Every structure is written in structure tokens, then in C-alpha cells.
Amino acid sequence: MADVVKNVDSERLARILPEAIRAIHQVIESHGVTEEEWMAVLGFLTEVGKQDEFVLLSDVTKTSVLVDAISHEGETDVTPSDVEGPLYRENPPWREKPVKIYEEYEGAQKGDVLFVSGRVTSADGSPLSGAVLDIWQTGPDGGYDIWDERQPEYNFRGRFGVDEDGGYEFQTMVPKPYTIPTDGPAGRLLEASGQHPWRPAHIHFKVEAEGHELLVTQVFFPDDPYLDDDTIGAVKSSLIRPLTRHESEEESARRGLEAPFYTCEFDIALKPAMSAARA
Ligand SMILES: [Fe+2]
């Protein structure tokens, strides 16, 4: 095979690129891929680009979880990372205390209120009072704000700070399992390969604090039917947190609620930017 890379400045690119191209060539050769089939592949990738689904394609082929695992291999004493996915939106609103990341809307009644709380610390347990959390999740039905026209802009999204001791709490609603978009090329790939499009319910977190690496992760809940069969394979057992149901009318009234609610605890430990492990 002719050289596929010449005079590349980056040593790493010079090592990886020829191997990646060779891997594609080998698959084409060993299966005798035809011109028609190859043009279909190129058409598929063109559509992935046009519909902005490359992150989704990376997710459903479980490439994102592989890269996440390699990037964070051997990390201990810190909260495990998880893939970001394609549904983060830049510049979500800043939410003041008491933090509530959604507005009431038609459809919210179908869900259960949830208070998530915890502490943000460094790997050694010292509180990070300057930490900022950035949360995004689906509503109790209808999915993300961008798919659900009943929901206000940036609903179930928000950024906020923590207390002096690193403590935080925010009010949201218990998310539900949902399907990734199935009307585009990533959905067609799932269908063609006999895979369902469901993800277990989860809440996405991005947590930043000075002197620490950015943490991107997700929290899952027990007894979800898709915990063992996430279409992007992103569930880590160490990120499953129980939901506690509170039935007391007094407790609900104290929270300004008329129905039972749930709580969930999620403490977050961040990795120092210049950790001993890295040094
Ligand atoms: Fe999600």
C-alpha cells in the first residue's frame, strides 16, 4: 500500500493516521466492499455531518465511552467521569439560591420533584467553595427542552455555585429513560444493527473549580430498565445513586410542595490539575 502520510509535523498524527487508514482499507479488502457500498458509506457520513450527529454517532458506536475510559484510566479518589453526549447547551442560565433548574410548565405535573444535594471537594476531601456546577437533564416526560415545545428555553438546565463548605442543593424533577433521536443517520444505524435507542434516566453534571480538572459525568438511579442496556453504554455502577421518597405532608409543606418528593445525594470529588498521579 502506498504511503498515506508524508511530512507530518505531529509525531502522534504520523503514528495514528496511517494505522487508522490501514484499518479501514483492511475491512474494505477483507469484505470486498463494492463501489456502490462505499458511496453509501460516504453518503451516510455526509448526512451525519449535515445533521450534526457526529457526537451521537461516536456515542452509539460506544466509541465515546472507550475514549472516556482511556482518558481517565487509573483515577482513584475522585468522582468517575462519564461522556458528555450531544445534548449539552452552552451558556445555560445562572440559577440563584435556592436553586431550581426548571420552570413550571404543562407536563411537569406528570413528574416527581427531586432535590439533589452533596458536597464538592478536592480528592483529599477539602471543600472547594469556588466550585461551579452545570446541570442538564430531561424533564419527567418529553425529553430535553430542545425536543419538547411545552418547555421554556433552557428548562432543566442551569449553572450555580456552592456554599463555603462545598455544599450544594438543587431542585429538579426525577428524569425518565428516553430515546436518542431516531430520525437521523445515527438512529438508522441503530435500527440496521438491531439495537434499541433507549438510555436509562440520568442527570448530566459538569463541575469546575480552580486548580482542578473539569469533571463531566452523569448520575443514574437504581432499578432503571436500561441500566444494563444503555444504548451508548455509559452506565458506571459507581455513578448510581438511590432516590429516597419522602411521604410526610409536613416535610413537603416545608419544601413548599403539595405532593411527596424525592431526594438524592451525590458528593463530588475533583482531581487536582497537577496531581501526584500525573506528575
Ligand atoms: Fe442525556
Side-chain angles (χ1 to χ4, degrees):
M1 188 179 71
D3 283 350
V4 289
V5 173
K6 288 175 182 156
N7 304 323
V8 175
D9 288 340
S10 159
E11 223 180 274
R12 190 157 168 79
L13 187 65
R15 275 205 307 271
I16 294 174
L17 190 57
E19 208 172 311
I21 294 171
R22 211 165 290 131
I24 296 170
H25 288 185
Q26 273 168 6
V27 171
I28 291 172
E29 261 183 58
S30 64
H31 295 278
V33 171
T34 65
E35 278 180 326
E36 201 180 317
E37 286 166 339
W38 184 240
M39 290 314 285
V41 170
L42 299 184
F44 173 80
L45 291 174
T46 302
E47 207 184 325
V48 169
K50 277 185 184 161
Q51 299 206 26
D52 199 13
E53 283 198 354
F54 267 111
V55 175
L56 196 57
L57 182 63
S58 165
D59 289 353
V60 299
T61 54
K62 299 183 176 69
T63 311
S64 300
V65 292
L66 173 64
V67 174
D68 172 61
I70 292 166
S71 302
H72 298 278
E73 198 180 357
E75 287 183 0
T76 51
D77 303 328
V78 295
T79 302
S81 62
D82 208 333
V83 301
E84 178 169 323
L87 294 155
Y88 177 70
R89 291 179 75 185
E90 297 287 343
N91 304 315
W94 182 265
R95 310 283 192 183
E96 295 295 345
K97 275 186 233 166
V99 177
K100 182 179 173 187
I101 63 166
Y102 66 98
E103 292 170 41
E104 301 299 337
Y105 67 101
E106 186 207 337
Q109 307 92 308
K110 293 176 185 168
D112 295 304
V113 171
L114 165 66
F115 293 90
V116 182
S117 62
R119 265 179 93 226
V120 182
T121 65
S122 187
D124 65 3
S126 52
L128 294 173
S129 58
V132 171
L133 283 83
D134 189 341
I135 307 292
W136 69 107
Q137 66 165 80
T138 54
D141 79 322
Y144 284 96
D145 56 341
I146 50 174
W147 302 335
D148 182 3
E149 57 190 24
R150 298 166 307 171
Q151 291 190 43
E153 277 278 284
Y154 292 99
N155 219 30
F156 294 106
R157 297 176 189 270
R159 300 176 79 228
F160 49 89
V162 301
D163 299 329
E164 273 303 301
D165 65 352
Y168 75 89
E169 181 178 81
F170 65 94
Q171 178 178 342
T172 182
M173 300 193 86
V174 179
K176 297 268 168 64
Y178 66 85
T179 66
I180 59 124
T182 53
D183 54 354
R188 286 212 314 279
L189 181 75
L190 284 181
E191 201 180 338
S193 53
Q195 295 180 66
H196 71 71
W198 287 89
R199 292 220 59 211
H202 57 274
I203 301 177
H204 294 271
F205 284 70
K206 259 190 203 195
V207 189
E208 57 179 294
E210 208 183 326
H212 290 75
E213 291 189 7
L214 175 73
L215 171 72
V216 178
T217 192
Q218 304 182 29
V219 171
F220 305 89
F221 311 105
D223 305 323
D224 189 294
Y226 298 102
L227 276 184
D228 294 327
D229 195 16
D230 181 3
T231 194
I232 71 166
V235 176
K236 295 180 178 179
S237 56
S238 52
L239 291 171
I240 300 172
R241 291 292 180 281
L243 291 169
T244 306
R245 187 174 164 89
H246 300 259
E247 305 256 2
S248 146
E249 283 180 21
E250 263 177 38
E251 255 189 294
S252 291
R254 248 196 326 270
R255 297 270 196 176
L257 304 170
E258 289 168 359
F261 63 94
Y262 288 82
T263 54
C264 174
E265 284 177 31
F266 182 51
D267 289 330
I268 296 161
L270 300 185
K271 184 182 177 186
M274 295 294 289
S275 71
R278 177 151 292 196

